[in-house]
Structures are given as C-alpha cells and as structure tokens.
Amino acid sequence: MSNDNNGGIQRPDGKVRPIDTDYQIGQDNIALKVGPFGLDIHNRVFAISGLTIILFVILTLTFREQVEPFFANLRNWLASNMDWFFLSAGNIFVIVCLTLIVTPLGRVRIGGTEAQPDYTYAGWLAMLFAAGMGIGLVFFGVSEPMSHFSASLNGVTVENGVRTDWAPLGGAQGDIDASSALGMAATIYHWALHPWSIYALLALGLAIFSFNKGLPLTMRSIFYPLFGERIWGWIGHVIDILAIVATVFGLATSLGYGASQAATGLNFLFGIPMTTTTQVVLIIVITALALLSVVAGLDGGVKRLSEINMGLAALLLLFVIVVGPTLAIFTGFFENIYAYVVNIPALSVPFGREDVNYSQGWTAFYWAWWISWSPFVGMFIARVSRGRTVREFIICVILIPSTVCVFWMTAFGGTAISQYVNDGYQAVFDADLPLKLFAMLDVLPLAQITSVIGIFLVVVFFITSADSGSLVIDTIAAGGKVDAPTPQRVFWCTFEGLVAIALMLGGGLAAAQAMAVTTGLPFTVVLLVATVSLIKGLMSEPRPKKSSLKRAPQ
C-alpha cells in the first residue's frame, strides 16, 4: 500500500490489516486554479454529478406546471410498489447492527488497535445528532405523534373495499389510551433503531475502509472486498455519483421541511405571509449563513454550531418537561418503549399490510429518505468516530440516539396529546404538520420566547446540515480527499440551496419527497451490497482480546 499521498486522512495507530493497492488518494483528480481559488476534483465524479443536478434544476424551473403532478405521481408509485423492498432492507440493517454488538467483530477498533478518539463523548454525540436528525426532530416531534394518535383514534375507514384511513396497523377507534400508545409506537418506529442502523452501517463501512484499510474516504472504498481494483474505474464512479445525487436530494428534502416550518412559525408569530416566496428567501438566507460556517471549517463551524444547537434543544426539552405534564412524560417514556417493543414486529412486516397509507405513505418514504441521507450522515459520522471500537460505535450511534429520540418524542408529542385529551385543546389536534409545534407551545408559559427558540433551532439545524452536507459531498467529489480546497465546499453548499429552491418552486414538499424516494431506491441496493462487503472487511481486521482493550478517553 502506497503511503505517498493519504488525502489528509490520519494513518492507523497500532495493528490493522491494510488493503494492498497501488492506488493513491486523489490520483485521478484534476488540480487547477480558477482566479484566486484552487480546485482539486475527481474529474468524472464531479463533472457527471454536477451536470446531472444542474440539468435537473433547469428542467424543474423550466417546466414548473408539469413538474408538480409528475413528482406527486412518482412518489406515490414508488411508495406503493417498492414499500416491501424498503421495509425489508430496513429490517436487515437493524439485525446486522445488533448482531455486530454481540460478536467478536465488536472488538475491532476504528483507526487501529492503538487509536484514540479525536473527540469527547459530548462533542461527538452533539455533532452526530445535529447532522443526523436535527431538523426532523423539531419538525416531527409534535406533528407525527399527534398525526398517528388522531388517525388511530378515528379508526379504520373502508371505501369500496379499500382502506382509506392513515391509522397504523388496525388503529384503536375511540380508545384514547390505546390510540396514544399505538401513535407513539408508530412514531418511535420511524425514529429509533431502523434509521440509526442505516446511518451506523454506512458510517462504519466508510470508517473501517478509510482509517483501517487505507483507502479513500469515499463510498466506492467499501466495495473493495467485492470488486477489488475495479472500484477505481466506472463501477466506483457510478457508486460515488449515486452517493452525491442521493445526498443532495436527501438534504434538499430536509431543507424543504426546515424552510416550511420556519416560514410557518414566522407567520404564526409575526404574521409574515406563508408563501413559497417566503420559503425561498429563507433558503437563500440560511444557505448564506451556512457558507459562513463552511469557511470556518469543521471544528470552528459544524462542531461549534452543533454544540450550541444541542444546548438550545436541551433547554427547550427541559422547559417542556418542567411546565408540561412532567410525571406523564417520565412514565410515558417507559410506557412508550414498551409499546414500541410490543408493536415493532407488526409495524416492520414488509408484506400483506392492510394499513397501506401508513406503511407506504409514512414508513416507505421515511426509509427512502433516511437511506438517501445515509451517505451524508454516514460519512460525517465516520470522519468524527476514529478511535472507537465497533461495539462502542454501534451502541453510541444506535442505542443512545434512539433512546434520546424516544424521550424527545415522548416529551413533545406526549405533551400535545395531553393538551388535547386532558385540556380539550383542539388547535394542536387540527393544526397542519408544520404548525403543530407552535400550537403546542402556544398554551405553555413564555410561548413567544419558546416559539422563537423553535424557529432558531430549525434555522441552525438547517445551517449545520447544509455545512456538513457540503463537506461530505465535496469529499466524495474530490476522490476521498478530506483536505480539498474550501471553495469546493462553498460550491456544493450553494448547490444544495439551489436544488432546495428548485424543488420548492417546482412542486413544494411533494417534489422534495419524490426525489428523496427516487434516489433512495437505487442507493438501498448499494447499501445492501455494502453491508456484505463491510462484514468481509471486519472479519479480516485484528481483534484484540478483551483484556487488552484500552478504555477510550472521555
């Protein structure tokens, strides 16, 4: 294995089983000067992915009237015909991750047997949350539990022999307690083990093949055990191009949700018109702020913003716990975990579902969305996880975030359900999805302040996602180099904003959702193959005996 050029990736500490290849990171790159700015790009991957996205933006903006119904039909077709595939893949990812925790492969250390973590647990988990699910937790923390609760409470509706309701499983018509339990279980299913397993598997693969095997920090590297040297050719180019396109559209979907909720909050608080123009302006302003974070770098930008945002999120969570139904939140936490465990076998069945609106409209879309996000979140987690053992990595990346997500949904969703059930507060029940958070906060003390904090959280999570997303896309487009010139990250950050604007103008959230599902489909296949390759790679790595494992610094 050549050691002449490692693309800014830290070399292993201790024993590893590197892959013997003559390929040097960045050897296919083009380095050039554009005015005062330097560029260092993988010519084929950068050019094809960039042109594909530009073409999409042009077509979307040119044919706006035709685009909206096309996207809506595309999303519905994919969700209704490929739901079994998405649900089956999600189950496989969970089983593999949980198995790795208890096998000897869990003793493998990322970065070599003597590697030490680059970040403390606090900093590591803060970046993980902010990149992984920030906007989603704020947007869906109230809206999803309330949606599943109300659908369950209304029960099953059949028209012409077809179920038309959105209740998960069989619903719980008229039973408030059962509807609450089922609604929370259906929500937790979408935010706990399954999505974090998707992230963890890809992140682990990227980390092992980069920090242990000595390959570039890019998607193609994971596939070396299956394709060998061919990954440096068109097989690898296609994998990396798919990763970039999936990441851009997955991010655009989240940015669309963020802009929608921020615009709704501004309308609710200050009467600012809730229009597409408002959302486009928000995307432009926040993208500009993200560019400032890009220039500040990983530690000065993403890490600092992540820690600020997690602090604010913790304060808002604490506020809701204190002024909301405190006892019900803490007891509900354990009740909801129990409901989740009881219902997850039925919720995760991929075939023969009668609750098609829930399994296709919610779950299939979610799995495609998480998978389209996985290159971005996976590579970001990989970059900040060097020095952790596989067991420690999976426990922290899956079990701890899942537990926090359950508590977050219990606090916010449980408070909203309590307001409706115990106080007869109808507004939180009737509000549109982006407005439910603000409707819930509106009847708590300091409503104006907490609502502004909610908007600020969405904005900063938006900035963090755009910044870290551009970092990841640029790494792939630079052939795995993590020290590529900053102007390239500026380019991709700007691109993300343009795609989000194009989708917003071309069809709103329906367009963003359609593209997330569309790009998530081929990438699900990529991720399933990558899982096999990851296991082969882990099996070849040295595994220290338990007694020789060093305790990682906190």
Side-chain angles (χ1 to χ4, degrees), residues 99-244:
T99 302
L100 285 176
I101 293 176
V102 298
T103 65
L105 296 178
R107 299 201 301 271
V108 174
R109 188 176 291 278
I110 299 169
T113 54
E114 305 299 324
Q116 296 297 314
D118 295 329
Y119 299 96
T120 64
Y121 272 122
W124 183 41
L125 291 173
M127 286 191 285
L128 190 155
F129 271 105
M133 291 189 173
I135 291 175
L137 284 176
V138 178
F139 187 95
F140 289 104
V142 173
S143 60
E144 187 170 352
M146 280 299 300
S147 296
H148 298 326
F149 164 74
S150 60
S152 298
L153 192 62
N154 291 330
V156 173
T157 303
V158 179
E159 295 180 8
N160 299 322
V162 178
R163 275 186 65 172
T164 58
D165 62 274
W166 286 77
L169 302 180
Q173 187 168 4
D175 189 330
I176 288 175
D177 291 338
S179 295
S180 177
L182 182 56
M184 292 304 303
T187 300
I188 294 167
Y189 172 53
H190 292 152
W191 291 89
L193 295 180
H194 282 75
W196 287 101
S197 294
I198 293 168
Y199 292 162
L201 271 181
L202 193 56
L204 184 59
L206 287 163
I208 291 294
F209 282 95
S210 179
F211 297 128
N212 294 55
K213 302 296 187 183
L215 300 182
L217 185 62
T218 186
M219 283 298 306
R220 70 178 72 201
S221 296
I222 304 177
F223 295 85
Y224 194 95
L226 299 178
F227 299 114
E229 294 291 313
R230 285 176 292 172
I231 67 167
W232 312 126
W234 276 105
I235 289 177
H237 300 342
V238 170
I239 290 169
D240 281 351
I241 290 165
L242 268 176
I244 290 176

Side-chain angles (χ1 to χ4, degrees), residues 207-417:
I208 291 294
F209 282 95
S210 179
F211 297 128
N212 294 55
K213 302 296 187 183
L215 300 182
L217 185 62
T218 186
M219 283 298 306
R220 70 178 72 201
S221 296
I222 304 177
F223 295 85
Y224 194 95
L226 299 178
F227 299 114
E229 294 291 313
R230 285 176 292 172
I231 67 167
W232 312 126
W234 276 105
I235 289 177
H237 300 342
V238 170
I239 290 169
D240 281 351
I241 290 165
L242 268 176
I244 290 176
V245 174
T247 302
V248 168
F249 288 116
L251 275 168
T253 304
S254 297
L255 300 186
Y257 275 119
S260 172
Q261 187 168 38
T264 301
L266 292 172
N267 174 262
F268 183 74
L269 291 173
F270 308 114
I272 296 173
M274 175 59 190
T275 62
T276 301
T277 302
T278 302
Q279 295 179 60
V280 169
V281 170
L282 276 169
I283 292 173
I284 292 172
V285 171
I286 297 171
T287 301
L289 294 172
L291 289 174
L292 297 177
S293 179
V294 163
V295 174
L298 180 62
D299 290 331
V302 176
K303 181 173 181 287
R304 189 169 299 167
L305 279 174
S306 299
E307 290 172 344
I308 292 171
N309 227 24
M310 293 313 298
L312 280 173
L315 284 175
L316 186 60
L317 176 63
L318 181 63
F319 172 82
V320 171
I321 292 170
V322 171
V323 303
T326 308
L327 182 60
I329 289 172
F330 283 106
T331 56
F333 172 72
F334 297 101
E335 293 169 356
N336 293 336
I337 290 178
Y338 175 75
Y340 169 60
V341 172
V342 168
N343 286 287
I344 193 172
L347 289 169
S348 57
V349 169
F351 303 102
R353 297 288 289 267
E354 295 182 0
D355 56 341
V356 290
N357 281 339
Y358 171 81
S359 62
Q360 296 174 3
W362 282 94
T363 306
F365 162 67
Y366 262 134
W367 282 191
W369 186 18
W370 297 143
I371 289 167
S372 68
W373 256 58
S374 63
F376 149 50
V377 181
M379 188 172 292
F380 187 77
I381 293 173
R383 281 199 63 174
V384 298
S385 299
R386 189 180 184 278
R388 309 288 178 181
T389 65
V390 169
R391 181 170 294 118
E392 177 187 17
F393 175 90
I394 292 179
I395 289 173
C396 288
V397 174
I398 294 181
L399 299 184
I400 293 176
S402 294
T403 303
V404 176
C405 284
V406 173
F407 194 71
W408 180 280
M409 293 295 182
T410 299
F412 283 80
T415 298
I417 292 172

